[in-house]
CSV table of all heavy atoms in Angstrom, one decimal:
chain,number,residue,atom,x,y,z
A,1,ARG,N,87.9,-62.2,-89.0
A,1,ARG,CA,88.5,-62.6,-87.7
A,1,ARG,C,88.5,-61.5,-86.6
A,1,ARG,O,88.3,-61.8,-85.4
A,1,ARG,CB,90.0,-63.0,-88.1
A,1,ARG,CG,90.1,-64.1,-88.9
A,1,ARG,CD,91.6,-64.3,-89.5
A,1,ARG,NE,91.6,-65.2,-90.7
A,1,ARG,CZ,91.7,-66.5,-90.6
A,1,ARG,NH1,91.8,-67.1,-89.5
A,1,ARG,NH2,91.8,-67.0,-91.7
A,2,SER,N,88.8,-60.3,-87.0
A,2,SER,CA,88.8,-59.3,-86.0
A,2,SER,C,87.5,-59.0,-85.5
A,2,SER,O,87.2,-58.7,-84.2
A,2,SER,CB,89.3,-57.9,-86.6
A,2,SER,OG,90.7,-58.1,-86.9
A,3,GLU,N,86.3,-59.1,-86.2
A,3,GLU,CA,85.0,-58.9,-85.8
A,3,GLU,C,84.5,-60.1,-84.9
A,3,GLU,O,83.9,-59.8,-83.9
A,3,GLU,CB,84.1,-58.8,-87.1
A,3,GLU,CG,82.6,-58.5,-86.9
A,3,GLU,CD,82.3,-57.2,-86.0
A,3,GLU,OE1,83.4,-56.4,-85.8
A,3,GLU,OE2,81.2,-56.8,-85.8
A,4,PHE,N,84.9,-61.2,-85.1
A,4,PHE,CA,84.6,-62.4,-84.3
A,4,PHE,C,85.2,-62.1,-83.0
A,4,PHE,O,84.5,-62.3,-82.0
A,4,PHE,CB,85.1,-63.8,-84.8
A,4,PHE,CG,84.6,-64.2,-86.1
A,4,PHE,CD1,85.3,-65.1,-86.8
A,4,PHE,CD2,83.4,-63.7,-86.7
A,4,PHE,CE1,84.9,-65.6,-88.2
A,4,PHE,CE2,82.9,-64.2,-87.9
A,4,PHE,CZ,83.7,-65.1,-88.6
A,5,GLN,N,86.4,-61.7,-82.9
A,5,GLN,CA,87.0,-61.5,-81.6
A,5,GLN,C,86.5,-60.3,-80.8
A,5,GLN,O,86.3,-60.2,-79.6
A,5,GLN,CB,88.6,-61.4,-81.8
A,5,GLN,CG,89.1,-62.7,-82.2
A,5,GLN,CD,90.6,-62.6,-82.7
A,5,GLN,OE1,91.4,-61.6,-82.2
A,5,GLN,NE2,91.1,-63.7,-83.3
A,6,ARG,N,86.2,-59.3,-81.6
A,6,ARG,CA,85.6,-58.0,-81.1
A,6,ARG,C,84.1,-58.4,-80.4
A,6,ARG,O,83.9,-58.0,-79.3
A,6,ARG,CB,85.4,-56.9,-82.1
A,6,ARG,CG,84.8,-55.5,-81.5
A,6,ARG,CD,84.3,-54.7,-82.6
A,6,ARG,NE,83.1,-55.3,-83.2
A,6,ARG,CZ,81.9,-55.2,-82.8
A,6,ARG,NH1,81.5,-54.7,-81.4
A,6,ARG,NH2,80.9,-55.7,-83.3
A,7,ILE,N,83.4,-59.1,-81.1
A,7,ILE,CA,82.1,-59.6,-80.7
A,7,ILE,C,82.2,-60.4,-79.4
A,7,ILE,O,81.5,-60.1,-78.4
A,7,ILE,CB,81.3,-60.4,-81.8
A,7,ILE,CG1,80.8,-59.5,-82.9
A,7,ILE,CG2,80.0,-61.1,-81.2
A,7,ILE,CD1,80.5,-60.2,-84.2
A,8,ILE,N,83.1,-61.3,-79.3
A,8,ILE,CA,83.2,-62.3,-78.2
A,8,ILE,C,83.7,-61.3,-77.0
A,8,ILE,O,83.1,-61.5,-75.9
A,8,ILE,CB,84.2,-63.3,-78.4
A,8,ILE,CG1,83.5,-64.4,-79.5
A,8,ILE,CG2,84.6,-64.1,-77.1
A,8,ILE,CD1,84.6,-65.3,-80.1
A,9,ASN,N,84.8,-60.5,-77.1
A,9,ASN,CA,85.2,-59.6,-76.1
A,9,ASN,C,84.2,-58.6,-75.6
A,9,ASN,O,83.9,-58.6,-74.3
A,9,ASN,CB,86.4,-58.8,-76.5
A,9,ASN,CG,87.7,-59.7,-76.4
A,9,ASN,OD1,87.9,-60.4,-75.6
A,9,ASN,ND2,88.6,-59.3,-77.4
A,10,THR,N,83.3,-58.2,-76.5
A,10,THR,CA,82.3,-57.2,-76.1
A,10,THR,C,81.2,-58.0,-75.4
A,10,THR,O,80.6,-57.4,-74.3
A,10,THR,CB,81.6,-56.5,-77.3
A,10,THR,OG1,82.7,-55.9,-78.0
A,10,THR,CG2,80.7,-55.4,-76.9
A,11,GLN,N,80.7,-59.2,-75.8
A,11,GLN,CA,79.7,-59.9,-75.1
A,11,GLN,C,80.2,-60.2,-73.8
A,11,GLN,O,79.5,-60.1,-72.8
A,11,GLN,CB,79.4,-61.1,-76.0
A,11,GLN,CG,78.2,-61.9,-75.4
A,11,GLN,CD,77.8,-63.1,-76.0
A,11,GLN,OE1,78.5,-64.0,-76.3
A,11,GLN,NE2,76.5,-63.2,-76.5
A,12,ILE,N,81.5,-60.7,-73.6
A,12,ILE,CA,82.1,-61.1,-72.2
A,12,ILE,C,82.0,-60.0,-71.4
A,12,ILE,O,81.6,-60.1,-70.2
A,12,ILE,CB,83.4,-61.9,-72.3
A,12,ILE,CG1,83.1,-63.3,-73.0
A,12,ILE,CG2,84.0,-61.9,-71.0
A,12,ILE,CD1,84.3,-64.1,-73.3
A,13,SER,N,82.5,-58.8,-71.9
A,13,SER,CA,82.3,-57.5,-71.2
A,13,SER,C,80.9,-57.2,-70.6
A,13,SER,O,80.7,-56.8,-69.5
A,13,SER,CB,83.0,-56.3,-71.9
A,13,SER,OG,84.3,-56.5,-72.0
A,14,ALA,N,79.9,-57.6,-71.6
A,14,ALA,CA,78.5,-57.2,-71.3
A,14,ALA,C,78.1,-58.3,-70.1
A,14,ALA,O,77.3,-57.8,-69.1
A,14,ALA,CB,77.6,-57.4,-72.4
A,15,PHE,N,78.6,-59.4,-70.1
A,15,PHE,CA,78.2,-60.5,-69.0
A,15,PHE,C,78.8,-60.0,-67.8
A,15,PHE,O,78.3,-60.0,-66.7
A,15,PHE,CB,78.9,-61.7,-69.4
A,15,PHE,CG,78.2,-62.5,-70.4
A,15,PHE,CD1,79.0,-63.3,-71.4
A,15,PHE,CD2,76.8,-62.7,-70.7
A,15,PHE,CE1,78.3,-63.9,-72.4
A,15,PHE,CE2,76.2,-63.3,-71.6
A,15,PHE,CZ,76.9,-64.0,-72.6
A,16,HIS,N,80.2,-59.5,-67.8
A,16,HIS,CA,80.8,-59.0,-66.6
A,16,HIS,C,79.9,-57.7,-66.0
A,16,HIS,O,79.9,-57.6,-64.8
A,16,HIS,CB,82.2,-58.5,-66.8
A,16,HIS,CG,83.1,-59.7,-66.8
A,16,HIS,ND1,84.0,-59.9,-65.8
A,16,HIS,CD2,83.3,-60.7,-67.7
A,16,HIS,CE1,84.7,-61.0,-66.1
A,16,HIS,NE2,84.4,-61.5,-67.2
A,17,ALA,N,79.3,-57.0,-66.8
A,17,ALA,CA,78.5,-55.8,-66.4
A,17,ALA,C,77.1,-56.2,-66.2
A,17,ALA,O,76.2,-55.3,-65.8
A,17,ALA,CB,78.6,-54.7,-67.5
A,18,ASP,N,76.8,-57.3,-66.2
A,18,ASP,CA,75.5,-57.8,-66.1
A,18,ASP,C,74.5,-57.0,-67.1
A,18,ASP,O,73.3,-56.8,-66.7
A,18,ASP,CB,74.9,-57.8,-64.7
A,18,ASP,CG,75.5,-58.9,-63.8
A,18,ASP,OD1,75.5,-60.1,-64.4
A,18,ASP,OD2,75.9,-58.7,-62.6
A,19,ASP,N,75.0,-56.7,-68.2
A,19,ASP,CA,74.0,-56.1,-69.3
A,19,ASP,C,73.5,-57.0,-70.3
A,19,ASP,O,74.1,-57.3,-71.3
A,19,ASP,CB,75.0,-55.1,-70.0
A,19,ASP,CG,74.2,-54.1,-71.0
A,19,ASP,OD1,73.2,-54.6,-71.3
A,19,ASP,OD2,74.9,-53.2,-71.4
A,20,GLY,N,72.4,-57.6,-69.8
A,20,GLY,CA,71.7,-58.6,-70.6
A,20,GLY,C,71.3,-58.3,-72.0
A,20,GLY,O,71.5,-59.0,-72.9
A,21,ALA,N,70.9,-57.0,-72.1
A,21,ALA,CA,70.4,-56.6,-73.4
A,21,ALA,C,71.5,-56.6,-74.4
A,21,ALA,O,71.4,-57.0,-75.6
A,21,ALA,CB,69.7,-55.2,-73.3
A,22,LYS,N,72.8,-56.1,-73.9
A,22,LYS,CA,73.9,-56.0,-74.9
A,22,LYS,C,74.3,-57.4,-75.2
A,22,LYS,O,74.6,-57.7,-76.3
A,22,LYS,CB,75.0,-55.1,-74.2
A,22,LYS,CG,76.1,-54.9,-75.1
A,22,LYS,CD,77.0,-53.8,-74.6
A,22,LYS,CE,77.9,-53.4,-75.7
A,22,LYS,NZ,78.8,-52.2,-75.4
A,23,ALA,N,74.6,-58.1,-74.1
A,23,ALA,CA,75.0,-59.5,-74.4
A,23,ALA,C,74.1,-60.3,-75.4
A,23,ALA,O,74.4,-61.0,-76.3
A,23,ALA,CB,75.1,-60.3,-73.1
A,24,TYR,N,72.8,-60.2,-75.1
A,24,TYR,CA,71.8,-60.9,-76.0
A,24,TYR,C,71.8,-60.4,-77.4
A,24,TYR,O,71.5,-61.1,-78.4
A,24,TYR,CB,70.3,-60.5,-75.3
A,24,TYR,CG,69.2,-61.1,-75.9
A,24,TYR,CD1,68.9,-62.5,-75.7
A,24,TYR,CD2,68.1,-60.4,-76.5
A,24,TYR,CE1,67.7,-63.1,-76.2
A,24,TYR,CE2,67.0,-60.9,-77.0
A,24,TYR,CZ,66.8,-62.2,-76.8
A,24,TYR,OH,65.6,-62.9,-77.1
A,25,SER,N,72.3,-59.1,-77.7
A,25,SER,CA,72.2,-58.5,-78.9
A,25,SER,C,73.3,-59.2,-79.9
A,25,SER,O,73.0,-59.0,-81.1
A,25,SER,CB,72.5,-57.0,-78.8
A,25,SER,OG,73.8,-56.8,-78.6
A,26,PHE,N,74.2,-59.9,-79.3
A,26,PHE,CA,75.2,-60.6,-80.2
A,26,PHE,C,74.7,-62.0,-80.7
A,26,PHE,O,75.5,-62.6,-81.4
A,26,PHE,CB,76.5,-60.6,-79.5
A,26,PHE,CG,77.1,-59.4,-79.4
A,26,PHE,CD1,77.2,-58.9,-78.0
A,26,PHE,CD2,77.6,-58.5,-80.3
A,26,PHE,CE1,77.7,-57.5,-77.8
A,26,PHE,CE2,78.2,-57.3,-80.1
A,26,PHE,CZ,78.2,-56.8,-78.9
A,27,ALA,N,73.6,-62.5,-80.2
A,27,ALA,CA,73.1,-63.8,-80.4
A,27,ALA,C,72.3,-63.6,-81.8
A,27,ALA,O,71.7,-62.6,-82.0
A,27,ALA,CB,72.1,-64.3,-79.5
A,28,THR,N,72.3,-64.7,-82.7
A,28,THR,CA,71.4,-64.7,-83.9
A,28,THR,C,70.0,-64.7,-83.5
A,28,THR,O,69.5,-64.9,-82.4
A,28,THR,CB,71.7,-66.0,-84.7
A,28,THR,OG1,71.3,-67.1,-83.8
A,28,THR,CG2,73.0,-66.2,-85.1
A,29,PRO,N,69.1,-64.1,-84.4
A,29,PRO,CA,67.7,-64.1,-84.1
A,29,PRO,C,67.1,-65.5,-83.7
A,29,PRO,O,66.2,-65.6,-82.9
A,29,PRO,CB,67.2,-63.7,-85.6
A,29,PRO,CG,68.3,-62.8,-86.1
A,29,PRO,CD,69.5,-63.6,-85.7
A,30,ARG,N,67.7,-66.7,-84.2
A,30,ARG,CA,67.2,-67.7,-83.9
A,30,ARG,C,67.4,-68.1,-82.5
A,30,ARG,O,66.6,-68.7,-81.7
A,30,ARG,CB,67.9,-68.9,-84.6
A,30,ARG,CG,67.4,-70.3,-84.4
A,30,ARG,CD,68.1,-71.3,-85.5
A,30,ARG,NE,67.9,-72.8,-85.0
A,30,ARG,CZ,69.0,-73.4,-84.6
A,30,ARG,NH1,70.1,-73.0,-85.0
A,30,ARG,NH2,68.6,-74.7,-84.2
A,31,LEU,N,68.8,-67.9,-81.9
A,31,LEU,CA,69.0,-68.0,-80.5
A,31,LEU,C,68.1,-67.1,-79.7
A,31,LEU,O,67.7,-67.4,-78.5
A,31,LEU,CB,70.5,-67.7,-80.3
A,31,LEU,CG,71.5,-68.8,-80.5
A,31,LEU,CD1,72.9,-68.5,-80.2
A,31,LEU,CD2,71.0,-70.1,-79.9
A,32,GLN,N,68.0,-65.9,-80.1
A,32,GLN,CA,67.1,-64.8,-79.4
A,32,GLN,C,65.7,-65.4,-79.2
A,32,GLN,O,65.1,-65.3,-78.2
A,32,GLN,CB,67.1,-63.5,-80.1
A,32,GLN,CG,68.4,-62.8,-79.8
A,32,GLN,CD,68.4,-61.4,-80.6
A,32,GLN,OE1,67.6,-61.1,-81.4
A,32,GLN,NE2,69.5,-60.8,-80.4
A,33,LYS,N,65.2,-66.1,-80.3
A,33,LYS,CA,63.8,-66.6,-80.3
A,33,LYS,C,63.8,-67.8,-79.2
A,33,LYS,O,62.9,-67.9,-78.5
A,33,LYS,CB,63.5,-67.0,-81.7
A,33,LYS,CG,62.0,-67.6,-81.7
A,33,LYS,CD,61.6,-67.9,-83.1
A,33,LYS,CE,60.3,-68.4,-83.2
A,33,LYS,NZ,59.9,-68.7,-84.6
A,34,LYS,N,64.8,-68.6,-79.3
A,34,LYS,CA,65.0,-69.7,-78.3
A,34,LYS,C,64.9,-69.3,-76.8
A,34,LYS,O,64.3,-69.9,-76.1
A,34,LYS,CB,66.3,-70.6,-78.7
A,34,LYS,CG,66.4,-71.8,-77.9
A,34,LYS,CD,67.6,-72.6,-78.1
A,34,LYS,CE,67.8,-73.8,-77.2
A,34,LYS,NZ,68.8,-74.6,-77.7
A,35,PHE,N,65.6,-68.1,-76.4
A,35,PHE,CA,65.8,-67.7,-75.1
A,35,PHE,C,64.8,-66.6,-74.9
A,35,PHE,O,64.9,-66.2,-73.8
A,35,PHE,CB,67.2,-67.6,-74.8
A,35,PHE,CG,68.0,-68.7,-74.8
A,35,PHE,CD1,68.8,-69.1,-75.8
A,35,PHE,CD2,68.0,-69.7,-73.8
A,35,PHE,CE1,69.8,-70.3,-76.0
A,35,PHE,CE2,68.7,-70.9,-73.9
A,35,PHE,CZ,69.5,-71.2,-74.9
A,36,VAL,N,63.9,-66.2,-75.7
A,36,VAL,CA,62.9,-65.3,-75.6
A,36,VAL,C,63.2,-63.8,-75.2
A,36,VAL,O,62.8,-63.0,-75.9
A,36,VAL,CB,61.9,-65.8,-74.5
A,36,VAL,CG1,60.6,-64.9,-74.4
A,36,VAL,CG2,61.4,-67.3,-74.8
A,37,ASN,N,64.0,-63.7,-74.2
A,37,ASN,CA,64.4,-62.3,-73.9
A,37,ASN,C,65.8,-62.2,-73.1
A,37,ASN,O,66.4,-63.3,-72.7
A,37,ASN,CB,63.3,-61.6,-72.9
A,37,ASN,CG,63.2,-62.3,-71.6
A,37,ASN,OD1,64.1,-62.7,-70.8
A,37,ASN,ND2,61.8,-62.7,-71.4
A,38,PRO,N,66.4,-61.1,-72.9
A,38,PRO,CA,67.7,-60.9,-72.3
A,38,PRO,C,67.8,-61.6,-70.9
A,38,PRO,O,68.8,-62.2,-70.6
A,38,PRO,CB,68.0,-59.5,-72.3
A,38,PRO,CG,67.2,-58.9,-73.5
A,38,PRO,CD,65.9,-59.8,-73.5
A,39,SER,N,66.7,-61.5,-70.0
A,39,SER,CA,66.8,-62.2,-68.7
A,39,SER,C,66.9,-63.6,-68.7
A,39,SER,O,67.7,-64.1,-68.0
A,39,SER,CB,65.4,-61.7,-68.0
A,39,SER,OG,65.4,-60.4,-67.7
A,40,ILE,N,66.1,-64.3,-69.6
A,40,ILE,CA,66.3,-65.8,-69.7
A,40,ILE,C,67.6,-66.1,-70.3
A,40,ILE,O,68.1,-67.1,-69.8
A,40,ILE,CB,65.1,-66.3,-70.5
A,40,ILE,CG1,63.8,-66.0,-69.8
A,40,ILE,CG2,65.2,-67.6,-71.0
A,40,ILE,CD1,62.5,-66.4,-70.7
A,41,PHE,N,68.1,-65.4,-71.3
A,41,PHE,CA,69.3,-65.6,-71.9
A,41,PHE,C,70.4,-65.6,-70.8
A,41,PHE,O,71.3,-66.4,-70.7
A,41,PHE,CB,69.6,-64.6,-73.0
A,41,PHE,CG,70.9,-64.8,-73.7
A,41,PHE,CD1,71.2,-65.8,-74.5
A,41,PHE,CD2,71.9,-63.7,-73.4
A,41,PHE,CE1,72.5,-65.9,-75.1
A,41,PHE,CE2,73.1,-63.8,-74.1
A,41,PHE,CZ,73.4,-64.9,-74.9
A,42,MET,N,70.4,-64.5,-70.0
A,42,MET,CA,71.5,-64.3,-69.0
A,42,MET,C,71.4,-65.3,-67.9
A,42,MET,O,72.3,-65.8,-67.4
A,42,MET,CB,71.2,-63.0,-68.3
A,42,MET,CG,71.7,-61.7,-69.2
A,42,MET,SD,73.5,-61.8,-69.5
A,42,MET,CE,74.1,-61.1,-67.9
A,43,GLN,N,70.2,-65.9,-67.5
A,43,GLN,CA,70.1,-66.9,-66.6
A,43,GLN,C,70.6,-68.2,-67.2
A,43,GLN,O,71.2,-68.9,-66.4
A,43,GLN,CB,68.6,-67.2,-66.3
A,43,GLN,CG,68.4,-68.3,-65.2
A,43,GLN,CD,69.0,-68.1,-64.0
A,43,GLN,OE1,69.2,-66.8,-63.4
A,43,GLN,NE2,69.4,-69.2,-63.3
A,44,MET,N,70.4,-68.5,-68.5
A,44,MET,CA,71.0,-69.6,-69.1
A,44,MET,C,72.5,-69.5,-69.1
A,44,MET,O,73.2,-70.5,-68.8
A,44,MET,CB,70.5,-69.8,-70.5
A,44,MET,CG,71.1,-70.9,-71.3
A,44,MET,SD,72.7,-70.5,-72.2
A,44,MET,CE,72.4,-69.2,-73.4
A,45,VAL,N,73.2,-68.4,-69.4
A,45,VAL,CA,74.6,-68.3,-69.4
A,45,VAL,C,75.1,-68.4,-67.9
A,45,VAL,O,76.2,-69.1,-67.7
A,45,VAL,CB,74.9,-66.9,-70.1
A,45,VAL,CG1,76.5,-66.7,-69.9
A,45,VAL,CG2,74.5,-66.9,-71.5
């Protein structure tokens, strides 16, 4: 439970900082494959 909340908070902080690589790193490999790279992932978000 703590880890889920830490991951969400850290990813949202990465979005606020426009740190696509960090935000993308919290996605499963399947999602990463779907969105190809951090730039495409950030655009989708």
Side-chain angles (χ1 to χ4, degrees):
R1 294 169 199 268
S2 293
E3 184 65 0
F4 298 159
Q5 294 174 12
R6 183 195 69 77
I7 289 168
I8 293 167
N9 277 326
T10 305
Q11 187 183 56
I12 288 175
S13 292
F15 290 140
H16 279 254
D18 286 318
D19 186 344
K22 187 168 191 171
Y24 185 72
S25 75
F26 294 107
T28 59
R30 183 171 162 243
L31 281 180
Q32 288 178 349
K33 185 177 180 180
K34 180 178 179 179
F35 293 105
V36 184
N37 63 50
S39 296
I40 293 171
F41 177 73
M42 288 294 281
Q43 180 61 30
M44 177 275 300
V45 174

